[in-house]
């Protein structure tokens, strides 16, 4: 990843050369390969722009090449919270792969559609896609693909509160990635197992697992994973009543998400910090941050939180509304009227100035 970062300008030059010559096949192949670099390193918007240009000049490229590029473009759209576009790209990729009889590719596209459905909160549709993908991958003896499908089904089980099944699916997936030596995916599975531990009240285990994942994310330079792990450590600290540590983790996660321009990440980071502020009995400040996060979630069309997290969120929101009294409405509306990036910048500036959230926004 560091070598790719150092060569990024050269890679841009190669992509530009291919696009300018209308060599769509070359541009699509290079752009599809670079997705594995663009996504974890925070270059999603740039990667999306390159793949869109490549597809424009690559109408005559081999269908298999276009199918892969459409899938990668969909992956980048998911990262950028554009779920409608992501689904359209995944469906176009799936249609091409079905025409080609590319069963491995069909399974990958079904997996992508399942992930997009999960991101939009449609768990029933997600399960249909993931189970079909898993069946195909087992027929193909696709070890990596099976591990991915097990992980995705684990996420559905976790969000539905079936923590035992989620843990079993995650552990089976983790064993494969450990055997294959894939550090980044091992890190994600440790994070996911940590989330399950936190939801079951096993906070020491949760902290250990998530910190192990965070270390690996930082080693491989996965910024998305780093932000997710920091936010999860904030949730664990909240459950333990350690507001100072929780605030530090959420602020660090927010800074990562701000750098990535990950809007869903910024929304979740603000929600976490609002809970911290509410726990400190700073009701007006909490109402302001809750309002900014709610507006961001609605604008992005993000699904409601999973039931286990939604309960804690709603409790904090209700307590804030009760204790804020007459200050609730104006603070909430001010937060809602603040642009997401501006809200994040204000909260991070407050954190930088005070190293705490003692003052209200």
């Amino acid at each position: 990843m560091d070598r790719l970062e150092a060569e990024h300008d050269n890679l841009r030059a190669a992509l530009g050369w291919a696009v300018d010559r209308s060599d769509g096949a070359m541009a699509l192949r290079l752009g599809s390969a670079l997705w594995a670099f663009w996504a974890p390193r925070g270059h999603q918007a740039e990667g999306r722009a390159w793949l869109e240009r490549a597809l424009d000049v690559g109408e005559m490229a081999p269908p298999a090449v276009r199918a892969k590029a459409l899938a990668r473009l969909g992956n980048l759209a998911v990262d950028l919270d554009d779920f409608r576009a992501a689904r359209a790209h995944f469906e176009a990729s799936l249609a091409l792969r079905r025409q080609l009889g590319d069963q491995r590719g069909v399974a990958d596209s079904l997996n992508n559609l399942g992930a997009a459905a999960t991101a939009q909160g449609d768990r029933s549709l997600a399960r249909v896609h993931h189970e079909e993908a898993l069946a195909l991958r087992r027929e193909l003896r696709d070890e990596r693909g099976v591990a991915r499908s097990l992980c995705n089904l684990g996420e559905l089980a976790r969000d539905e509160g079936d923590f035992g099944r989620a843990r079993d699916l995650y552990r089976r997936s983790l064993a494969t990635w450990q055997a294959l030596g894939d550090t980044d995916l091992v890190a994600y599975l440790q994070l996911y197992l940590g989330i399950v531990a936190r939801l079951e009240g096993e906070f020491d285990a949760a902290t250990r697992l998530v910190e192990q994942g965070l270390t690996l994310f930082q080693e491989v330079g996965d910024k998305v994973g780093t932000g997710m792990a920091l936010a999860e450590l904030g949730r664990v600290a909240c459950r333990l009543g350690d507001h100072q540590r929780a605030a530090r983790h959420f602020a660090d996660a927010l800074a990562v998400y701000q750098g990535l321009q990950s809007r869903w990440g910024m929304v979740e980071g603000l929600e976490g910090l609002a809970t911290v502020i509410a726990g400190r009995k700073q009701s007006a400040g909490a109402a302001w941050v809750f309002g900014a996060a709610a507006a961001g979630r609605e604008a992005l069309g993000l699904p409601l939180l999973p039931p286990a997290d939604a309960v804690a969120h709603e409790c904090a929101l209700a307590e804030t509304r009760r204790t804020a009294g007459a200050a609730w409405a104006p603070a909430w509306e001010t937060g809602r009227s603040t642009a997401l990036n501006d809200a994040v910048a204000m909260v991070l500036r407050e954190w930088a100035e005070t190293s705490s959230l003692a003052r209200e926004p």
Side-chain angles (χ1 to χ4, degrees):
M1 290 293 180
D2 289 340
R3 289 174 64 193
L4 287 166
E5 197 79 67
E7 295 291 341
H8 205 176
D9 284 340
N10 286 328
L11 296 164
R12 293 181 177 111
L15 281 163
W17 182 84
V19 169
D20 291 344
R21 288 168 53 91
S22 294
D23 190 343
M26 179 182 289
L28 289 170
R29 286 190 175 98
L30 181 54
S32 295
L34 281 171
W35 163 78
F37 159 68
W38 283 329
R41 283 298 175 106
H43 303 298
Q44 291 97 328
E46 180 179 356
R48 182 183 192 179
W50 277 119
L51 277 174
E52 287 174 340
R53 290 178 65 190
L55 283 163
D56 285 342
V57 301
E59 291 183 0
M60 302 306 294
V65 173
R66 286 185 60 82
K68 185 173 183 179
L70 284 163
R72 297 314 186 203
L73 185 56
N75 293 142
L76 293 169
V78 168
D79 289 344
L80 294 166
D81 313 310
D82 190 347
F83 303 117
R84 180 177 298 178
R87 183 167 181 169
H89 296 319
F90 292 148
E91 288 176 344
S93 176
L94 176 61
L96 284 172
R97 286 167 164 171
R98 287 197 191 279
Q99 291 171 13
L100 293 166
D102 176 8
Q103 293 297 87
R104 188 179 293 266
V106 166
D108 289 345
S109 290
L110 288 167
N111 182 81
N112 289 333
L113 282 166
T118 299
Q120 292 181 289
D122 191 340
R123 299 188 189 101
S124 295
L125 180 61
R127 175 169 287 100
V128 170
H129 288 316
H130 285 314
E131 288 182 347
E132 187 178 351
L134 176 60
L136 269 176
R137 286 166 162 174
R138 281 177 168 157
E139 286 179 14
L140 296 166
R141 300 183 185 277
D142 178 2
E143 189 177 14
R144 290 177 178 272
V146 167
R148 288 183 185 279
S149 291
L150 292 174
C151 176
N152 290 328
L153 288 167
E155 181 177 2
L156 291 175
R158 183 191 77 203
D159 288 350
E160 292 170 348
D162 191 347
F163 302 135
R165 175 168 169 75
R167 182 184 293 105
D168 176 62
L169 290 165
Y170 284 152
R171 285 176 174 170
R172 288 158 62 190
S173 182
L174 175 60
T176 297
W177 298 123
Q178 288 174 327
L180 294 171
D182 192 317
T183 302
D184 200 32
L185 289 171
V186 166
Y188 277 102
L189 266 300
Q190 288 175 325
L191 167 62
Y192 298 156
L193 284 165
I195 294 173
V196 171
R198 188 254 303 170
L199 292 171
E200 292 195 305
E202 299 172 1
F203 302 124
D204 289 343
T207 300
R208 183 183 72 256
L209 285 162
V210 178
E211 286 180 343
Q212 289 172 352
L214 176 60
T215 298
L216 293 179
F217 285 134
Q218 292 171 333
E219 285 179 5
V220 300
D222 187 331
K223 296 179 182 179
V224 174
T226 295
M228 292 173 66
L230 287 167
E232 181 58 24
L233 287 172
R235 295 184 191 101
V236 175
C238 269
R239 291 294 304 274
L240 291 170
D242 190 339
H243 299 304
Q244 182 70 13
R245 187 157 59 95
R248 184 177 70 251
H249 287 315
F250 282 128
D252 288 346
L254 260 183
V256 172
Y257 287 136
Q258 183 187 49
L260 293 170
Q261 277 301 288
S262 170
R263 293 176 294 170
W264 66 263
M266 289 190 279
V267 166
E268 292 192 355
L270 286 175
E271 288 172 341
L273 278 169
T275 301
V276 173
I277 300 170
R280 290 181 168 186
K281 311 301 181 186
Q282 296 161 356
S283 302
W288 185 93
V289 183
F290 272 130
R297 183 170 285 277
E298 292 168 14
L300 294 175
L302 293 176
L304 298 175
L305 292 166
D309 287 324
V311 170
H313 178 79
E314 289 301 323
C315 285
L317 198 60
E319 179 64 13
T320 300
R321 187 183 292 111
R322 185 187 68 80
T323 56
W328 164 265
W332 170 264
E333 290 303 325
T334 300
R336 285 185 59 83
S337 65
T338 305
L340 182 60
N341 268 303
D342 292 341
V344 170
M346 292 169 69
V347 168
L348 289 178
R349 182 167 59 249
E350 181 76 11
W351 171 254
E353 289 174 355
T354 65
S355 294
S356 71
L357 294 173
R359 295 187 300 174
E360 297 176 355

